[in-house]
C-alpha cells in the first residue's frame, strides 16, 4: 500500500508531499519553454506536481513508471492544456494541479476525458501550495476519481470545456485507488473524426497565433476538430512551434514521394540514388558509402536513395545524409530501412539529433536520438504495403524536416 506523509490535518487520508527549492528552480526553467504568461504558469505548476509524484511513486510502487506521451513532449501539451499523465504499470493517472490551497471541485479539461488516446483510469486533484517560504511549499492531494465516475457524474461546463466534480465526491485515500488497479474503470468514448491535411493546416494557421492564449476555447472550432488536431503528435508539435514563433517546417508541405518509382531509377528533386552519389562524388561522404556498399549483397537491398539535409546556420551549418533502402517482398510489400549518416566529411552525427518514423496520420511509431560519437543511427526495419505511406522526420532543437513517402505501383520487371 502507498504510505502517506502526514501533516497536521483532521483527515489522515490526505497525501502531502514537500516541495524542495531545487524542484521550484527546475520548474521555472521548464516553464520558459512556453509562449505566454498563462502557459508558463501552467507549465510551472504541472512540472512541480509531476516531478514530486514521479519521485514518490518511484519509492512507493514496484510498477514500471513513465510519463505519457513522453517527458520531452510535455511542453506542447502544457502550452494549451492543464494536466500531466503518468503510466503506472498498466494504469494511467492524470494529475490536475491547482495553485489554490483550498479547492471546491476537480476540474478536468475535456481533452483528458474525451480523446480516446488521452483517456486515463484515474484523475487526481492536487493543490500546489507555494504561498510560504521555499522550504515550506508542499502538494496536497485531495483525492481521486475514475474516468467512468467523472464522465457519468461530473458536470460538463461548455464555457471552459471541463468536467467538474465536487471535492466531496472524491476518494481521499490513494490506497483505495491501488486496490482497484486492474479493474475496468474507463467509460467508452466515441472515436474522433478524421481530419484532412487541408483542415489541419487551416486550424494550425488560426490556432497557432501566440496572441490567442486559449486556442482550445475557440467557439468557432468544434471540440471534435480540435481534439483530432491535438491527438496527432506531429500536428500538436507544429501548433506548439507556431505559438513559439518557430516556423521551421522545411519539407512539411513537400509533395509525397512515390518510392515505387525508385525501382525505375526515378528520384524526386533533392533525392538521388546511392549508386549515382558513389559514381559521381569524390567527397568523404561518397567514400564512406562506397566502403559500406560492398556489403549491399549481404543486406539484399535492391535500391537506395539518399538526400543531404542542411541543419541550418543556427546549428553551425552541419549536414546529415538521410538514406532509405528498399527491398521488394511478397504480397506487394516493400521492406524499408532508414538510416541517418554524418555528411560533409564529418565522422560522427551531431548529438541529440532525432530520426523519427511517423504514420500517414502523423502518429509517432519509432524514434531514435543520436548519442555522442554515433557514426549513424538506424530505425528498425519495417514493411509498407503498396498503396500505403509513412513519414520520416529529422529533428534537432528548433529545426525539423519531414519527408512524406508512399508505395505506389512499381514494376516487377525492374527488380526480378
Amino acid at each position: 500500500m502507498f504510505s502517506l506523509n502526514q501533516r497536521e490535518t483532521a483527515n489522515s487520508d490526505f497525501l502531502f508531499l514537500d516541495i524542495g527549492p531545487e524542484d521550484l528552480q527546475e520548474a521555472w526553467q521548464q516553464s520558459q519553454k512556453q509562449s505566454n504568461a498563462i502557459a508558463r504558469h501552467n507549465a510551472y505548476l504541472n512540472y512541480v506536481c509531476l516531478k514530486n509524484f514521479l519521485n514518490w511513486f518511484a519509492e512507493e510502487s514496484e510498477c514500471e513508471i513513465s510519463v505519457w506521451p513522453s517527458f520531452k513532449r510535455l511542453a506542447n501539451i502544457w502550452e494549451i492544456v492543464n494536466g500531466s499523465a503518468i503510466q503506472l504499470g498498466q494504469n494511467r493517472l492524470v494529475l490536475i494541479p491547482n495553485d489554490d490551497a483550498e479547492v471546491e471541485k476537480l476540474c478536468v479539461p475535456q481533452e483528458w476525458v474525451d480523446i480516446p488516446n488521452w483517456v486515463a483510469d484515474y484523475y487526481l486533484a492536487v493543490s500546489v501550495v507555494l504561498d510560504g517560504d521555499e522550504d515550506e511549499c508542499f502538494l496536497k492531494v485531495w483525492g481521486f476519481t475514475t474516468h467512468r465516475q467523472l464522465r457519468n457524474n461530473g458536470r460538463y461546463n461548455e464555457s471552459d470545456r471541463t468536467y467538474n466534480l465536487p471535492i466531496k465526491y472524491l476518494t481521499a485515500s490513494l490506497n483505495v485507488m491501488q486496490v482497484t488497479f486492474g479493474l475496468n474503470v474507463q467509460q467508452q468514448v466515441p472515436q474522433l473524426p478524421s481530419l484532412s491535411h487541408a483542415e489541419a493546416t487551416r486550424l494550425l494557421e488560426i490556432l497557432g497565433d501566440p496572441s490567442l492564449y486559449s486556442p482550445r476555447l475557440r467557439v468557432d472550432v468544434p471540440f471534435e476538430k480540435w481534439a483530432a488536431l491535438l491527438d496527432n503528435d506531429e500536428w500538436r508539435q507544429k501548433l506548439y512551434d507556431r505559438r513559439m514563433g518557430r516556423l521551421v517546417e522545411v519539407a512539411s508541405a513537400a509533395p509525397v514521394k512515390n518510392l515505387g518509382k525508385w525501382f525505375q531509377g526515378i528520384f524526386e528533386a533533392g533525392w538521388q540514388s546511392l549508386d549515382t552519389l558513389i559514381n559521381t562524388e569524390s567527397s568523404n561522404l561518397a567514400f564512406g558509402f562506397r566502403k559500406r556498399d560492398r556489403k549491399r549483397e549481404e543486406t539484399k537491398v535492391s535500391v537506395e536513395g539518399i538526400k543531404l539535409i542542411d541543419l541550418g546556420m543556427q546549428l553551425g551549418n552541419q549536414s546529415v545524409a538521410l538514406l532509405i533502402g528498399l527491398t521488394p517482398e511478397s504480397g506487394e510489400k516493400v521492406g524499408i530501412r532508414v538510416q541517418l549518416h554524418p555528411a560533409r566529411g564529418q565522422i560522427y552525427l551531431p548529438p541529440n539529433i532525432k530520426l523519427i518514423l511517423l504514420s500517414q496520420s502523423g502518429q509517432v511509431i519509432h524514434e531514435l536520438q543520436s548519442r555522442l560519437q554515433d557514426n549513424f543511427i538506424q530505425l528498425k526495419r519495417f514493411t509498407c504495403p503498396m498503396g500505403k505511406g509513412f513519414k520520416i522526420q529529422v529533428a534537432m532543437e528548433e529545426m525539423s524536416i519531414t519527408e512524406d513517402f508512399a508505395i505506389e505501383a512499381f514494376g516487377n520487371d525492374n527488380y526480378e
Side-chain angles (χ1 to χ4, degrees):
M1 293 293 182
F2 295 131
S3 64
L4 307 182
N5 176 16
Q6 303 304 333
R7 287 173 172 254
E8 294 181 4
T9 175
N11 189 336
S12 61
D13 284 334
F14 290 149
L15 169 67
F16 293 86
L17 298 175
D18 291 320
I19 302 172
E22 65 281 357
D23 294 332
L24 297 177
Q25 180 62 28
E26 288 182 20
W28 182 86
Q29 294 174 350
Q30 177 72 33
S31 70
Q32 303 312 298
K33 300 178 181 179
Q34 314 305 142
S35 69
N36 59 71
I38 293 176
R40 285 192 288 272
H41 182 66
N42 183 56
Y44 183 78
L45 291 181
N46 275 277
Y47 187 90
V48 169
C49 181
L50 177 63
K51 180 68 179 296
N52 281 271
F53 261 92
L54 287 175
N55 292 338
W56 180 69
F57 278 131
E59 295 177 357
E60 296 297 327
S61 175
E62 296 180 356
C63 296
E64 182 179 350
I65 306 169
S66 61
V67 175
W68 184 92
S70 71
F71 207 92
K72 294 181 179 179
R73 297 180 185 275
L74 291 176
N76 64 36
I77 291 180
W78 291 343
E79 173 71 16
I80 42 187
V81 180
N82 182 32
S84 305
I86 295 176
Q87 202 69 34
L88 194 60
Q90 299 299 314
N91 302 279
R92 182 178 296 175
L93 288 61
V94 168
L95 309 174
I96 305 296
N98 192 305
D99 59 1
D100 292 331
E102 299 292 330
V103 296
E104 297 181 353
K105 58 187 177 181
L106 168 66
C107 298
V108 182
Q110 187 179 2
E111 290 84 348
W112 292 114
V113 182
D114 288 341
I115 299 180
N117 290 331
W118 289 44
V119 166
D121 300 287
Y122 305 96
Y123 300 82
L124 281 64
V126 184
S127 283
V128 182
V129 182
L130 304 174
D131 293 337
D133 296 333
E134 280 192 347
D135 57 352
E136 294 181 353
C137 300
F138 63 93
L139 304 180
K140 177 181 179 180
V141 182
W142 293 89
F144 75 93
T145 188
T146 66
H147 179 259
R148 180 175 287 114
Q149 290 169 335
L150 185 62
R151 205 162 192 277
N152 291 340
N153 302 326
R155 183 178 66 85
Y156 177 68
N157 188 337
E158 188 174 0
S159 64
D160 62 2
R161 290 178 171 173
T162 61
Y163 284 86
N164 301 275
L165 194 64
I167 291 295
K168 64 181 180 180
Y169 293 121
L170 301 184
T171 303
S173 174
L174 299 189
N175 286 327
V176 177
M177 179 183 71
Q178 187 181 22
V179 170
T180 64
F181 279 1
L183 299 180
N184 182 12
V185 294
Q186 292 186 11
Q187 180 77 22
Q188 187 173 3
V189 296
Q191 292 297 313
L192 298 175
S194 59
L195 196 64
S196 69
H197 188 274
E199 288 179 298
T201 300
R202 181 182 66 83
L203 290 176
L204 288 173
E205 292 175 353
I206 296 172
L207 303 175
D209 182 354
S211 66
L212 183 63
Y213 277 17
S214 297
R216 60 183 298 273
L217 301 183
R218 281 285 298 243
V219 295
D220 57 335
V221 178
F223 175 79
E224 291 74 17
K225 295 289 187 181
W226 160 253
L229 182 77
L230 207 61
D231 189 40
N232 184 295
D233 292 335
E234 182 183 1
W235 291 340
R236 189 175 67 249
Q237 182 63 39
K238 287 182 178 180
L239 176 64
Y240 170 74
D241 289 340
R242 283 175 174 268
R243 295 181 60 79
M244 293 298 292
R246 304 169 184 169
L247 296 178
V248 188
E249 300 171 327
V250 180
S252 60
V256 176
K257 285 80 178 174
N258 176 15
L259 295 179
K261 292 184 177 180
W262 288 19
F263 291 101
Q264 306 168 26
I266 302 173
F267 292 81
E268 294 81 357
W271 287 86
Q272 61 181 316
S273 72
L274 182 60
D275 288 331
T276 300
L277 176 74
I278 291 175
N279 292 332
T280 60
E281 291 280 344
S282 59
S283 64
N284 291 336
L285 175 65
F287 176 79
F289 282 112
R290 191 179 295 115
K291 184 177 180 180
R292 64 173 293 284
D293 188 52
R294 301 190 189 108
K295 298 183 178 181
R296 192 183 303 184
E297 287 300 322
E298 301 175 12
T299 59
K300 299 181 180 179
V301 173
S302 295
V303 61
E304 290 176 300
I306 190 168
K307 180 176 183 177
L308 298 183
I309 298 174
D310 189 344
L311 298 181
M313 293 182 62
Q314 70 271 30
L315 297 176
N317 286 320
Q318 299 179 81
S319 294
V320 292
L322 180 60
L323 180 69
I324 297 182
L326 308 178
T327 306
E329 297 184 354
S330 60
E332 294 189 318
K333 294 182 179 180
V334 174
I336 300 170
R337 189 194 62 216
V338 181
Q339 297 177 341
L340 194 66
H341 292 259
R344 288 186 177 173
Q346 298 298 313
I347 300 175
Y348 304 113
L349 284 170
N352 302 319
I353 191 169
K354 295 179 181 179
L355 182 60
I356 306 169
L357 170 63
L358 304 165
S359 67
Q360 279 182 299
S361 63
Q363 297 292 335
V364 175
I365 300 174
H366 186 208
E367 178 178 320
L368 286 177
Q369 181 169 303
S370 63
R371 301 162 300 181
L372 191 64
Q373 295 187 339
D374 269 341
N375 297 103
F376 74 98
I377 54 177
Q378 175 176 297
L379 295 173
K380 294 179 181 177
R381 186 180 184 276
F382 62 97
T383 60
C384 184
M386 189 172 69
K388 299 295 184 180
F390 60 93
K391 301 179 182 183
I392 298 296
Q393 186 176 86
V394 177
M396 186 175 182
E397 296 184 6
E398 299 179 3
M399 185 282 307
S400 68
I401 293 176
T402 304
E403 294 276 338
D404 287 18
F405 299 98
I407 305 294
E408 298 178 13
F410 54 87
N412 292 342
D413 293 341
N414 292 299
Y415 56 81
E416 283 185 346

